[in-house]
Every structure is written in structure tokens, then in C-alpha cells.
Amino acid sequence: MWLKPEEVLLKNALKLWATVKSNDYFILQRRRGYGEGSGGLAGLLVGTLDAVLDSTAKVAPFRILHQTPDSQVYWNIACGASEEEIAQHWEWLQQNIMRTLSVFDSSDDITSFVQGKIRGLIAEEGKVSLVQEDDPEKFREALLRFESWFSLPDKEKLVTYYSCSYWRGRVPCQGWLYLSTNFLCFYSYLLGNEVKLVISWVEISRLEKTSSVLLTESIRVCAGGEEHCFSMFLHLQQTFLLMEQLADYAVRRLIDKEMFPSDHILTDPLQITKRGLETHARNEAFRAFFRLPREENLLEVYESFLWLPFSYFNTLGKICVSENYLCFASQDGSQCHLIIPVREILSVEKPDRLSRALTVCMRGKRALRFSEVRDFERLAATIRKKCGNTASPQHSASCQALLECGEDEEGLMVGQRSSSKTVSTEALMNVFHPQDAENLDPKMLKEKMKEQSWQIHFAEYGRGTSMFCTRRTRDLIVRGVPESLRGELWMLFSGAVNDMATHPAHYSELVEASLGASSLATDEIERDLHRSLPDHPAFQSDTGISALRRVLTAYAYRNPKIGYCQAMNILASVLLLYAKEEEAFWLLVAVCERMLPDYFNRRIIGALVDQAVFEDLIREHLTQLTEHMTDLTFLSSVSLSWFLTLFISVLPIESAVNVVDCFFFDGIKAILQLGLATLDYNMDALLCCSDDTEAVTILNRFFDSVTNKDSPLPATVQQAPVGTNDRAAQRVDISDLIKEAYEKYGDIKSEEVESMRRRNKLYVIQTLEDTTRQNVVRVVAQEVRFSGPHMDELYVLFKRQHFLSCYWTAGSAALQHHDPSLPYLEQYQLGLAQFSSLLLLLQPWSPGAYTHTLARWTFRLIDDNHDGLVNFREFCRALDILYSGSFTEKLKFLFKLHLPPAPVLLALTDSAVSKACQPSQSLPLGEEPPAFTRLTDGPDDGVIRRSPEKGRGKVDLQAYLKQWQDEIQKKEESIKDLPRIEQAQFILLSKTLYGLFHGDPEEEALFRAVARVTSLLLRMEEVGRRLQEDSQASTSPQSPSKTSPSLPQTSSPTKTSPSPPQTCSPSKTSVSPPKASSPTKTSASPPPTSNPAEAIAEQLEAVSVDPEALSPGQDPVSASEEAPSSPKASSDPPSPSSSGTLETETELANTPSEHTAPPSPQGMEWSFSFEQILASLLNEPVLVKFFEKPVDIQKQLDRAKRDQLKLKAQITK
């Protein structure tokens, strides 16, 4: 590898380098301790020094120095991991540089010329991804070490690396931590003790920062039941955040199967960089804080002061610029933030250059003044460019004059909403419960006072998207939002108003597109429509039901990944009460996709994560309750509905809407605070509980007692019980409860909640994965003979093999066909390439050239539904036979492998299928052959491949019932049900047996045993044919003469009778070609030292069939016309050939021709039954012993775990 020229003062510093060759300008050196004489203390010391100092010499122990003439200064220009690599660099220098250097007179010119050449070479061979790295040269060296140490596939993308210590017990190992797209790796080498660690991100269950007595701060990683601790980072926080991002990215991509179509940074796993991940995290935090659409990205940041007209002072903060928004957030504790859509900006002025001030004029007669803006001219130019203002910097008109053409305050948000086409233009609450302006009820008077308070707030802080959000805003939210303003404020605080403004006609288009669509999602929606607030008059009429149906169906059409889930109907019905139909749709989008991510899917991961966060907060803030209830799982199960429905399902509707107000302003933090306040309020009662049932009763009674005394809704709408009993005196007002929640737990920061979410997400997902594993193992274990621990290890290997197909590609078949909503047995499946590699690692016999072909046939056999994928159950059934099956079961399995393919495979005529099955074609492990990706595309193939929850078509439920019935009625297959094996397939079976014996200590005896069995079966078949021939000759004396029989002839049955299998060895009797045979003579016996494989080859030649050209799916008639490729038998059975279907070949072969004689008994194909083969093989004890030899399952599993990743690296390379 060429290196950026770096000055070396001493060419042989500390005697660490030995010169191999040199000339006037260059020196080739070898690192001491490597190569010849590498052992001893010198090698240990040098290796330790290289590992600690992160020297490239650890993996590249050869280097080339450029020597400046008449100087002691040397330049390091190249390094190499082997002598061959460094020799190529040396040869290039000799041929391309040496001749040119002699023409220079100055030594400085020589050095400049060499350095320029080397830099040019580096620029040409540099990878595109390295351009995005902070220090491409250093990164190239780190990448070289990473590839050499961990032997991962070349496609694995190194993201960054850090120096740190890895703690093994109480002993730290100083080394280097490498973070790649799919793995966390560590390497250390100290005095001959090498530590190498490779952990997949998807296997990590805990990732957190910790501190202890020994370590001030460290990073703890839990994976596979083991804990790993890393410390002594120079940038610990940066490292931890990057590790969190990589772990989350791996989980979302590999387990949740996200494709990231709209995020170019994460789309391709081969292009992930540290800078890209940092940019992505910054954009995510920016969008989450300001509630902006997911298309927005943080482009520029400026520090400045903003004049607050309501407080009469300047607040320090940052201006954040995105594609369509100008945002400001304070940094001085005033908790003030502001969002300015570019569409609202009229002009930008620079009134005072000395104070570096900007004035932004907006619609609605508003102006914002920013001062002390760093690079304010650039900011002004950016804003003008975005809003299309071409006015000169010296704007002649005043800001106030420009504002005269703006709209009034009242029309700001209304104008934005009215620009969109809607189906229903009124909130349901206004339709069914319009407010009476003349009503002087005390509750209505208080409602008017709330409205007046908000109008004053709007006058001071602004109204609409560019309103100042401060502590005063939160105080008004806590006290309650007026009924008339609730929909507007929900749209504002959730950011849905920006989504709707960005996509003005999107909802109408979705409604039209989804009209009349039928899917499982629409069926579930129809079933739940009348369960949504059934006591409310709005949903007892067709108006409310139709609006709810349109909103839910449109969202299911927009986001088929979520479709429709339980609790969405309850949430959407409440949104429709206070917002227009289109607004309710965008509010639902904001909740499902931004504010409550991963809540509404089959596994409700988001809700489970927030439950785990809730448990952590209980341990932190309610220690007394934690001590009383050691297991907080109960509280998690109780609180699940709190998070899924935002307390709507447990509180009366008039109280629940106040909780929704706080949620849209503060996010999930408000729900967590209210949950803590609820438990705190009932602390004394919960401490006296003796069981979970009593605690549930206490909480239910509490929620029934919560009321909203200020609600102006009529009694027919309110859900709180009305009465004058003793419980009425114990009622709790929702406003008081929310106020208490903010007073006691308001110090919980949103940033802390997000950090706790990230930390607990890994744990929740691994818990779900463990549950899936337990369910799969429990079901499959009833059908196989593996032990529980072995089943667990097999599942881990199977799952990891599935991930290996997804690691280095963005569009693998495993990613595209995976569906988390499918049954757990179908969660992880393997294609042909992945299955072949895993079977190669786990097969009980020694590997050989036959292995890949046998794996293809096995895959074809065990793929029950012919979908080109094998699940864990199918895989374990096959492996159980190979490991623990009896001699008869194993032989039956091999017998069935060599039978002709099933009709579904024979029906394939696509050329892609034949290409996929060619023996010379080697497929990369990450790719699927066309033949097995999807064998049938018809809608009535009986295989359900897509999830019903996708909402893209109705699922035939009869197919489910039929599949279930087939499973119940499936009976054990009898050996009598097996068809006879034809001539060509029997030849392949014999060759497969030879392949299995390769490398066995009794290989010679096994060869001879198979040869004896084969010879006996052929002789027995020939005897039967001659008897049949004599019978036909007696009945048909005028039959045509047999001029050239195609089958070998043995001695006459009257002369030589079949001897017992023990004496029928190839040395006594063999089958010879017809031209060398005689009806009255036996063939010559081969020498005693003859190889049994050669003997069976002679038998195969005798029947004029080339074993190398046959496959289980090939017609032996057509194959018999080809000449054998080799007289010797091979241990590699050929791969299946798909040059044509069996029916077509048989038809052609049986077609009469003028060049062919009528068929005779000797020209007919011979075949054997399974009973014949089994009976013959049972007479060979050495064969029975071989197949019944016990397999060390644990040894096989350990070897597979050790070599699984190495095999993938070898195949990709």
C-alpha cells in the first residue's frame, strides 16, 4: 500500500527494522520479529510495541523508504503485509522512477518528484468512501489493520476507531476499538497475549456508560450473556453516541428490516461514515426538537441574540436553518423557541452593521430582530435565496411598510388550513355540540376566561406557526386548553400544521386512492369503527363513523408498514372531535411516525421501550414503591394502555383531552410525568397491597374518580360518573393532577428521556428476540431429538446465517421478504446460498467437493412449500436425521435426495433456472439464485408469502386452514411409499456415498462395500431381465433380434447363480461392456489391488451412462447417449441439470425414429426399490457402522460458531 510520504529521521531506529535490499534512492526493510527469526523475546516486545502504539508495522511488517541523496533524512512511502506485495511496489519503483531520477541535479528536486508521484498513486487508488473521512491517510492505515486482524469480508465498512482499554476481570488490555457497520471489534497484543473480540451489533442487549471505584467512566456492552467493559477513551461521549447510533441502525435494518428510502445517509450500509452518522443524529435531534417534517435537515447554525418583545430583553441562542424553516432556540434557560416557515418571510434587512443585526419581516405584521449574528451577511443571503427576495441589501422601504401587505393575525393558520382540500370541514365537536354564546353557565364563563387568556397570549407572543413558545405557554397548557382552540393548538404544537402545508392535497389523494380498497387492515378497521367512543353521539351517527373510516383507511394506505393497529381508532376518534378531518389525519401521522415511533406495529416495540423507561423513572423517583415491589413488571403491564392510548382508555374523555394537550406540547415526557404522579398519589394504598389484583383495583378506582370540573361538555358526553355518594368527595381534578405532575417531575428533561429510550430499546428488542427463540425452540423441539441447549445454539447459528445475507447489501432477498408480522417460525429464513454455507459447517461428514451439490438437493427436498426459503423447523428436521437418525432414516433421506424433483420444480422452463443449477456457476453467498427466490408466482399456489397486515391485498383465509389441516393429517412416510430409483439416479446415489466416505479412516473398506452392493444389485437386476426376456421370447417368437443391447451381460443364470452379498466383490464378478462380454463367460477379475472406485466406474461405463452429466432431474435416456468424461469415479456427484423438464425429455426419448430399433428387454431402463437397496446395504456391517456412528453435536456446533464468519469472508473474497 502506498503511503503519504512521511519523514523518518532514523532509518533503523532502535534496531527495529532490518534492511532487505537497497539502492541509491530507495531502501526495502523488514520489521524485526516478523518473518525469519520472528520468535523469541524480540518478537514479543516488537509485537507489543506495535499494538500499543497502533503501528502499521503490526499488519504491514515491510516498508520502502525513499533516501534523500547526501542526507540522513528518509521518507516512508510504502508498506506491505507480505513480501509479494512489497516486491510489487519495489519493482514498480525500479521500472518507472529510477530511470527518471538520474536526470535531476538537485536532491530537493528528486525528493519533490518522488513525493508527487506517490501522492498521485494514492489519489488514483483511493476509495471513494475515504474522501469523506477526516484523515484519509490515517484511515487507510487503520483499514489495513482492521482487515488483517479480524478477517471480515472486504465489504465490511469500517466507520471509525479509538484507542482504549478492554477489561478482562481486573486487568486492562490496552488496544484499539474498531467500529464498523455491523460489528464492534477490539484488538490487543501484549507480550504474546493476543486479545481479539468481534461482537455483532444485533446481539447487543445493553449499551451504557457506567462508573465504578476503579473506573471513573467506562462503556459497558452486554452481548450473548457476557459483559465487556471499555475505558480510557479520549472522547468517551463521542464514542458512546456513535456506538448507540450503529447499534440502533443495525437493529432497524436487520431486525425491523427498514430500507431507509428517504435517507441517503443510511440507505447503503457500504457507505456509512462517521461524519454521515453524526450528521444524521444532528438532523434527527433538530427535527424532534422543533417537530418538523422528516424531509427537513439542519443545514446551517448561527449564534445570535433575539429580541423578545414580551420580556423586553435579548436572549442568547442559536439560529438553525433548514430547507424550508428558520428556527431559534434559546440557551440562557428561558426555554424559548421559535419556528419561522420560509413561506411566511416577506423580507430581510440589515439595519445596523455595527451590531451585526438582521430584521426578518413576516406576514401578520410581525418582525423579528436578531443581533450579534456571526456571519450575518451570509445568513441574510441564505434567507433571501430561500424566500426568493431579490431586494438589494440597502432596502429602501422600511420593514413596517412591507408588513402592510401581509395578512392579519386571525387568518394565519386558517389560511394555511383552508388551502388544503378536505372531506369534512368541521370538527365533530362543533357539529354535535356547538357552543352557545348566550350561555352564562359558570363552566362556560370559565371557558371564556381561558379563551381570553389565550387571546392575550397570542397578542404578546404571536399566533400560528411563528408563535414564541415559552414557560408561559406551558403554564396555559397545564391549566387547560379551551375547547374552541384545542384543534388549532394540537396542530401547532405537534408540527402537523407544517406537514399539511407541505403536502396540501395529499389527504384527498389518499382518500380517493384507498376508496373501495379491500385488505385485512380495512377489515379490522370496519370491525373497530363502532368500538371507538361508542357512548359519544358523534360516533353514533354516520357522519362520525364515515370520517373515522376515511382517516384510518387513508393512513393504512399511506403507511402499509403500520397499516392499522389496535388503539389507533381510539386516538383518531378523539382527534376528529376537535380537528377537521384532514387535520386529524395529519395529527395521526405526527403521533404514529414522529412522536410515538414504533408504537403502532405488531410488536409495539415503542410502547415496550417507554414502559422500560417508566420503570427506570420509578426506581429513581419512587424508591419507596420500588422497595415494596421488587418486580416492577406488573406496573409495566398495567401502564401499557396508558402509553398506547395516552390515558384515553382509562380516563373519562373530558379529562383525557387535557392529557392529550400536554402530550402534544411536551411529547412522551408528559405521559411519563403523569404516570409517576398517579403512582405517587396512590402510594399509601399501593404499599398496603398484598397482590397485583388489589393494586389493579386501586388504580382503576382512582381513574374512575378523576374528573374535569371545568369541562363545558354536556352531561350526555361526559364519561365521569355523577353521584352524591361518599366517593364524590374523593374526586381528583385532572388539572390538579397534571399540575402536581409538572411540579414534582417537571425537571425530567426530554433529552434524558430520549437517551433512556435508546438505552432500553436494545434490551427490549433482545427480550423479544429471546421470546421468539424460546417459542420456536419449544415447538421444534417436539419434532427433533436435539437437547434444549443444542436447539438454542442451532437457532443462534441459523439466525446469524440469516443476518449474513443482509449485512453487506441493501436489497437482499432476506431483507425484502422478511415480515415481522408473520408467525415466529417464519421470522428468519434462509435462501439456497445461506443454507448451503450453514450445512457445510454443520454436516456430520467430512467436507468434500460433493458438499455444495448435496446441499442444493437437500434444500430442494426440505423446502416444503416451494417458496425458495427454508425456515428453522425445516432445517432442524433435516439436520436431526443426519445427526441422530437411524441407518434406515439416513439412507431414506439420501435416497429421496436422488429422486426426480417434485412436479413444481419440473414445471419450470425458465432459462434462469437452468443457469442457477449449473455446477460451474458459483453464486456469492449474499445472492439468491433465480431458481429458488420464487418458484411460483401465481396467486393460487397455496403459499402465503406476504403479511396480511400489509394492507396490499386480501388474504385467502382458506389457505391458512388448508395448511393447518395438512399439518395435522400429515403421517409418517413408509418406505413402501417411496418410488423406485431409476438408473441415472442410482448411479448418482452410488457416487454420493463415495463422496461421504472421503477422509474416513475406513475409506477403503467402505469403498469396497459399496462396490459389492452395487455389483450385486446390478447382477440381480440382470437376472430378472433375462428371466423376463425368456418369458417374452416364449410368447413372442417373432420378436426382433437383439443386435446391440445397451445393458451389460453377465454369466448365464444357469451357470452362475447369485452368491451372497459377502462374496460378491468386484474382484470376483464385475459387469463389463457388451463388446467385451459373452453370454457364457464371466468377465475377467481385476487385480486384487484394484481400487473399488475404478471398479464401479467400469460398471458405470458398462451401462453407457456418464455419471458426471447426470442429475436427479435428468432423463437417463438422453444421458446415456453421452460418453463418460472419466474412467474413474469421483467423490463429487454432479449438480442438478435443468436443461429441460423430465416430461419433455421422456417424450423425446420415447419417440420412434428410423435410426432406432424397437425396444427390447435388454434395452429397457433398470431401477431399484428402496427395500432392495436397504437389504443389500444392511449386509455390509462397515456401512451400517459408518451411518450409525454417533455424532459429537457440541463439537460440530462449536466449530460452526468459530468458522461461520470466516467462511463468509472466504467466499466473498
Side-chain angles (χ1 to χ4, degrees):
M1 182 177 71
W2 299 106
L3 302 176
K4 181 181 179 181
E6 184 177 355
E7 186 176 350
V8 180
L9 296 179
L10 298 175
K11 68 174 181 178
N12 197 13
L14 301 178
K15 303 294 182 179
L16 297 178
W17 293 90
T19 300
V20 178
K21 62 177 69 174
S22 64
N23 55 37
D24 294 338
Y25 302 101
F26 302 101
I27 300 176
L28 193 155
Q29 294 183 327
R30 173 179 56 82
R31 187 76 164 178
R32 293 190 184 276
Y34 299 90
E36 298 179 1
S38 59
L41 181 61
L44 294 178
L45 293 176
V46 173
T48 300
L49 183 64
D50 291 340
V52 173
L53 298 179
D54 191 33
S55 173
T56 308
K58 177 67 180 176
V59 294
F62 297 90
R63 71 177 183 180
I64 296 177
L65 301 179
H66 165 59
Q67 178 182 6
T68 303
D70 303 327
S71 174
Q72 294 297 320
V73 178
Y74 296 82
W75 299 85
N76 190 10
I77 60 173
C79 68
S82 62
E83 292 187 22
E84 293 77 9
E85 181 183 357
I86 203 68
Q88 294 178 359
H89 288 62
W90 180 267
E91 188 66 24
W92 188 91
L93 292 172
Q94 296 295 322
Q95 296 179 0
N96 298 277
I97 300 295
M98 288 295 295
R99 300 175 183 176
T100 309
L101 296 181
S102 59
V103 302
F104 291 99
D105 297 330
S106 172
S107 59
D108 294 337
D109 294 341
I110 294 176
T111 300
S112 299
F113 177 77
V114 172
Q115 291 181 356
K117 276 291 186 181
I118 299 303
R119 288 192 176 96
L121 290 173
I122 294 174
E124 291 178 3
E125 70 177 11
K127 298 179 181 179
V128 177
S129 59
L130 296 183
V131 177
Q132 303 177 8
E133 306 299 337
D134 296 334
D135 190 347
E137 296 302 324
K138 290 293 183 182
F139 195 85
R140 289 174 74 244
E141 298 178 13
L143 182 60
L144 176 64
R145 295 189 294 270
F146 174 74
E147 294 174 347
S148 175
W149 283 339
F150 302 107
S151 301
L152 295 173
D154 294 337
K155 291 184 177 181
E156 180 63 15
K157 179 66 173 66
L158 177 63
V159 177
T160 189
Y161 60 101
Y162 298 96
S163 173
C164 70
S165 292
Y166 171 60
W167 289 80
R168 304 181 67 183
R170 296 187 177 182
V171 179
C173 300
Q174 183 65 32
W176 291 86
L177 182 71
Y178 293 85
L179 307 180
S180 65
T181 306
N182 301 296
F183 299 97
L184 179 152
C185 306
F186 177 83
Y187 184 85
S188 174
Y189 184 88
L190 294 173
L191 297 178
N193 183 21
E194 185 180 53
V195 179
K196 189 181 296 185
L197 189 68
V198 178
I199 303 174
S200 175
W201 291 116
V202 291
E203 296 175 358
I204 294 178
S205 59
R206 285 286 186 186
L207 182 63
E208 55 189 0
K209 291 190 298 182
T210 60
S211 59
S212 61
V213 178
L214 293 177
L215 303 175
T216 305
E217 271 191 314
S218 61
I219 297 177
R220 184 166 68 97
V221 179
C222 299
E226 299 180 355
E227 290 190 4
H228 309 276
C229 189
F230 302 91
S231 65
M232 299 183 184
F233 291 93
L234 292 178
H235 308 284
L236 186 136
Q237 181 64 20
Q238 180 191 63
T239 308
F240 178 72
L241 293 177
L242 198 59
M243 292 169 70
E244 274 190 336
Q245 285 183 267
L246 287 170
D248 181 70
Y249 173 63
V251 165
R252 292 168 62 188
R253 192 172 71 89
L254 300 175
I255 295 182
D256 295 338
K257 308 302 176 186
E258 289 191 30
M259 306 298 290
F260 308 100
S262 60
D263 196 337
H264 68 280
I265 297 177
L266 304 180
T267 302
D268 188 358
L270 304 182
Q271 301 298 327
I272 298 294
T273 63
K274 175 185 174 183
R275 185 181 302 175
L277 288 174
E278 291 174 347
T279 302
H280 176 75
R282 190 163 55 247
N283 292 335
E284 287 279 335
F286 167 69
R287 288 191 292 263
F289 183 84
F290 292 106
R291 309 279 173 82
L292 296 178
R294 57 187 176 186
E295 296 84 5
E296 299 299 314
N297 297 293
L298 181 60
L299 303 178
E300 299 174 3
V301 179
Y302 301 87
E303 282 192 359
S304 72
F305 286 90
L306 172 63
W307 173 253
L308 303 180
F310 49 86
S311 300
Y312 302 101
F313 72 90
N314 287 312
T315 180
L316 176 64
K318 290 185 177 180
I319 302 174
C320 302
V321 182
S322 68
E323 288 84 352
N324 299 296
Y325 295 90
L326 189 70
C327 306
F328 178 86
S330 64
Q331 295 179 286
D332 57 0
S334 61
Q335 299 181 2
C336 171
H337 66 271
L338 177 71
I339 303 173
I340 311 170
V342 173
R343 62 180 181 269
E344 299 293 326
I345 299 177
L346 295 176
S347 65
V348 179
E349 289 189 354
K350 296 181 288 186
D352 188 0
R353 291 183 174 272
L354 295 179
S355 62
R356 295 179 296 178
L358 287 178
T359 300
V360 179
C361 302
M362 301 180 298
R363 301 181 188 276
K365 300 181 180 180
R366 296 186 59 195
L368 299 175
R369 178 183 173 85
F370 298 94
S371 59
E372 299 297 333
V373 182
R374 294 187 179 180
D375 203 355
F376 72 105
E377 300 223 0
R378 178 184 175 186
L379 176 60
T382 300
I383 298 175
R384 287 197 184 101
K385 182 178 180 181
K386 289 183 177 296
C387 64
N389 190 351
T390 58
S392 61
Q394 301 295 333
H395 209 278
S396 57
S398 65
C399 180
Q400 186 63 33
L402 287 171
L403 293 175
E404 294 299 330
C405 63
E407 300 176 1
D408 58 358
E409 297 181 36
E410 296 293 334
L412 183 59
M413 286 196 60
V414 178
Q416 290 301 322
R417 294 202 302 269
S418 62
S419 63
S420 302
K421 296 180 180 179
T422 59
V423 178
S424 177
T425 58
E426 286 294 333
L428 295 180
M429 194 64 75
N430 295 336
V431 175
F432 288 88
H433 303 290
Q435 293 187 9
D436 187 2
E438 299 179 356
N439 189 355
L440 300 180
D441 183 82
K443 291 185 178 181
M444 288 304 301
L445 290 176
K446 198 162 187 178
E447 186 76 4
K448 295 294 183 181
M449 293 175 62
K450 288 183 181 180
E451 292 181 9
Q452 188 64 28
S453 299
W454 276 99
Q455 294 298 336
I456 295 174
H457 184 275
F458 292 151
E460 294 181 0
Y461 295 85
R463 186 173 187 175
T465 53
S466 57
M467 181 180 72
F468 288 95
C469 293
T470 63
R471 292 178 180 175
R472 169 66 177 166
T473 311
R474 178 181 282 111
D475 293 340
L476 289 176
I477 290 288
V478 171
R479 288 190 301 201
V481 175
E483 298 284 320
S484 59
L485 298 176
R486 182 162 276 134
E488 176 183 340
L489 294 178
W490 284 359
M491 289 289 292
L492 174 63
F493 296 141
S494 66
V497 62
N498 297 318
D499 289 324
M500 192 172 71
T502 307
H503 308 86
H506 185 59
Y507 177 67
S508 300
E509 295 171 355
L510 289 176
V511 171
E512 294 176 3
S514 62
L515 189 64
S518 179
S519 66
L520 187 61
T522 57
D523 293 344
E524 292 182 351
I525 290 172
E526 289 296 328
R527 186 177 65 246
D528 291 345
L529 284 176
H530 295 279
R531 303 176 185 176
S532 309
L533 302 183
D535 297 331
H536 199 285
F539 298 100
Q540 295 174 353
S541 67
D542 185 66
T543 303
I545 294 297
S546 299
L548 181 61
R549 178 187 293 111
R550 287 191 294 268
V551 169
L552 294 176
T553 306
Y555 184 79
Y557 191 86
R558 164 191 163 88
N559 191 346
K561 182 179 179 181
I562 293 178
Y564 170 78
C565 290
Q566 294 283 336
M568 289 177 64
N569 59 321
I570 298 176
L571 180 60
S573 60
V574 174
L575 298 177
L576 281 168
L577 289 178
Y578 295 97
K580 299 177 183 179
E581 187 174 320
E582 183 179 8
E583 295 174 348
F585 169 80
W586 286 112
L587 284 170
L588 186 64
V589 170
V591 172
C592 296
E593 299 179 7
R594 188 168 58 243
M595 302 187 70
L596 295 179
D598 298 327
Y599 259 63
F600 301 98
N601 54 37
R602 180 63 59 177
R603 301 196 296 176
I604 57 172
I605 292 177
L608 296 177
V609 169
D610 285 341
Q611 281 184 296
V613 173
F614 188 53
E615 289 184 15
D616 291 345
L617 293 175
I618 292 175
R619 295 187 183 94
E620 181 180 350
H621 295 276
L622 302 176
T623 55
Q624 190 176 2
L625 185 61
T626 305
E627 294 172 358
H628 178 71
M629 304 179 66
T630 54
D631 185 10
L632 297 179
T633 308
F634 156 71
L635 294 177
S636 297
S637 60
V638 171
S639 63
L640 180 60
S641 61
W642 305 356
F643 295 101
L644 282 174
T645 64
L646 307 179
F647 283 92
I648 296 174
S649 61
V650 294
L651 288 176
I653 183 63
E654 65 275 10
S655 300
V657 291
N658 287 37
V659 179
V660 179
D661 296 339
C662 300
F663 167 75
F664 279 124
F665 188 83
D666 277 323
I668 194 61
K669 171 177 172 286
I671 305 299
L672 295 170
Q673 290 175 175
L674 186 61
L676 292 174
T678 300
L679 297 180
D680 188 29
Y681 189 91
N682 297 276
M683 177 71 72
D684 295 337
L686 291 174
L687 292 178
C688 298
C689 291
S690 57
D691 55 25
D692 296 346
T693 305
E694 188 177 354
V696 171
T697 304
I698 291 173
L699 291 175
N700 288 338
R701 287 177 179 174
F702 170 77
F703 288 129
D704 290 340
S705 67
V706 175
T707 184
N708 188 352
K709 61 182 181 182
D710 298 330
S711 175
L713 296 179
T716 57
V717 176
Q718 294 191 23
Q719 297 177 346
V722 179
T724 58
N725 52 16
D726 295 339
R727 292 181 53 191
Q730 302 176 359
R731 294 195 180 279
V732 179
D733 186 69
I734 186 63
S735 298
D736 297 336
L737 185 61
I738 293 176
K739 183 178 179 181
E740 182 179 354
Y742 272 91
E743 289 177 352
K744 287 187 175 182
Y745 310 106
D747 57 343
I748 299 175
K749 297 181 179 179
S750 299
E751 294 79 5
E752 296 177 0
V753 173
E754 291 301 322
S755 177
M756 297 170 72
R757 271 180 162 182
R758 291 192 299 268
R759 183 175 70 247
N760 284 284
K761 183 177 180 179
L762 296 176
Y763 173 75
V764 168
I765 287 180
Q766 290 303 326
T767 302
L768 292 175
E769 291 294 301
D770 290 342
T771 302
T772 300
R773 173 182 53 80
Q774 293 170 3
N775 292 334
V776 171
V777 168
R778 184 176 64 253
V779 172
V780 179
Q782 301 174 4
E783 307 175 15
V784 296
R785 286 156 284 194
F786 291 112
S787 65
H790 289 163
M791 287 291 295
D792 289 336
E793 294 187 44
L794 274 175
Y795 183 84
V796 172
L797 286 170
F798 189 89
K799 177 180 173 182
R800 186 180 300 165
Q801 192 70 25
H802 168 84
F803 285 149
L804 286 176
S805 65
C806 314
Y807 277 152
W808 299 284
T809 177
S812 68
L815 283 172
Q816 295 173 350
H817 292 91
H818 179 79
D819 189 350
S821 61
L822 289 175
Y824 46 76
L825 276 174
E826 308 294 333
Q827 286 294 303
Y828 299 109
Q829 302 183 81
L830 300 183
L832 172 61
Q834 290 76 39
F835 172 83
S836 301
S837 298
L838 186 57
L839 188 64
L840 177 63
L841 292 169
L842 292 172
Q843 64 179 354
W845 303 299
S846 57
Y850 72 96
T851 305
H852 296 286
T853 303
L854 202 63
R856 285 197 292 271
W857 298 348
T858 304
F859 182 88
R860 181 207 69 192
L861 177 65
I862 68 177
D863 184 14
D864 293 337
N865 56 3
H866 308 296
D867 63 348
L869 296 171
V870 169
N871 60 32
F872 183 67
R873 169 189 279 170
E874 296 166 339
F875 176 78
C876 285
R877 285 174 177 172
L879 202 63
D880 179 58
I881 295 176
L882 299 181
Y883 277 9
S884 307
S886 63
F887 172 74
T888 302
E889 290 175 331
K890 293 179 181 179
L891 183 62
K892 183 172 71 171
F893 185 79
L894 293 174
F895 182 88
K896 292 169 67 176
L897 288 183
H898 295 79
L899 292 176
V904 66
L905 285 178
L906 292 174
L908 292 175
T909 57
D910 195 338
S911 61
V913 178
S914 60
K915 292 181 180 179
C917 295
Q918 291 298 327
S920 60
Q921 182 179 3
S922 59
L923 291 171
L925 192 57
E927 299 179 6
E928 295 292 338
F932 296 102
T933 51
R934 192 177 181 88
L935 297 176
T936 52
D937 291 327
D940 299 325
D941 55 4
V943 180
I944 301 173
R945 297 181 180 81
R946 300 300 300 171
S947 167
E949 288 72 18
K950 293 300 181 183
R952 292 183 179 178
K954 210 168 183 179
V955 173
D956 185 8
L957 298 181
Q958 294 296 327
Y960 276 120
L961 298 177
K962 184 178 182 301
Q963 185 178 1
W964 177 58
Q965 185 179 12
D966 293 342
E967 289 289 334
I968 294 178
Q969 297 180 351
K970 185 178 293 185
K971 62 179 182 179
E972 185 68 23
E973 184 181 34
S974 172
I975 60 176
K976 295 183 180 180
D977 300 330
L978 295 174
R980 297 176 65 87
I981 190 170
E982 302 293 338
Q983 170 181 323
Q985 286 76 41
F986 176 74
I987 294 172
L988 287 177
L989 176 60
S990 302
K991 292 179 65 62
T992 298
L993 293 176
Y994 283 125
L996 299 180
F997 304 151
H998 181 69
D1000 192 89
E1002 300 183 0
E1003 180 178 356
E1004 184 72 17
L1006 292 168
F1007 279 177
R1008 292 186 177 278
V1010 173
R1012 287 194 295 269
V1013 170
T1014 304
S1015 178
L1016 174 63
L1017 289 171
L1018 289 174
R1019 292 180 61 226
M1020 292 174 62
E1021 180 68 16
E1022 182 64 21
V1023 169
R1025 288 297 170 84
R1026 288 197 172 274
L1027 291 175
Q1028 183 181 5
E1029 175 188 350
D1030 294 342
S1031 175
Q1032 292 184 0
S1034 61
T1035 56
S1036 303
Q1038 299 179 355
S1039 60
S1041 60
K1042 312 171 197 44
T1043 56
S1044 59
S1046 61
L1047 288 177
Q1049 300 181 13
T1050 60
S1051 57
S1052 174
T1054 60
K1055 300 281 183 170
T1056 304
S1057 60
S1059 57
Q1062 289 83 353
T1063 60
C1064 277
S1065 64
S1067 61
K1068 298 293 183 182
T1069 304
S1070 64
V1071 183
S1072 59
K1075 61 182 180 180
S1077 64
S1078 173
T1080 59
K1081 294 182 181 180
T1082 59
S1083 58
S1085 300
T1089 58
S1090 173
N1091 189 340
E1094 296 179 358
I1096 194 63
E1098 294 176 1
Q1099 296 177 12
L1100 298 179
E1101 288 178 1
V1103 293
S1104 302
V1105 176
D1106 179 14
E1108 296 295 328
L1110 293 176
S1111 69
Q1114 186 176 357
D1115 181 30
V1117 176
S1118 61
S1120 64
E1121 298 176 359
E1122 302 178 5
S1125 60
S1126 173
K1128 296 184 179 181
S1130 170
S1131 61
D1132 178 21
S1135 62
S1137 173
S1138 299
S1139 57
T1141 63
L1142 187 60
E1143 292 88 342
T1144 304
E1145 293 177 353
T1146 306
E1147 181 181 354
L1148 293 176
N1150 294 333
T1151 302
S1153 173
E1154 59 180 351
H1155 301 290
T1156 60
S1160 64
Q1162 287 184 328
M1164 296 172 59
E1165 292 294 328
W1166 45 263
S1167 62
F1168 301 109
S1169 67
F1170 178 75
E1171 294 96 322
Q1172 288 177 301
I1173 298 175
L1174 176 62
S1176 302
L1177 291 176
L1178 283 174
N1179 289 321
E1180 296 292 339
V1182 65
L1183 288 173
V1184 177
K1185 179 182 177 182
F1186 173 81
F1187 282 104
E1188 292 188 345
K1189 181 169 52 178
V1191 179
D1192 189 346
I1193 300 178
Q1194 189 60 49
K1195 181 179 179 181
Q1196 293 290 113
L1197 294 175
D1198 293 340
R1199 183 176 67 87
K1201 287 189 292 185
R1202 183 182 66 250
D1203 299 339
Q1204 190 173 24
L1205 201 56
K1206 294 180 181 179
L1207 178 64
K1208 172 66 178 178
Q1210 294 172 2
I1211 293 177
T1212 56
K1213 290 180 180 179

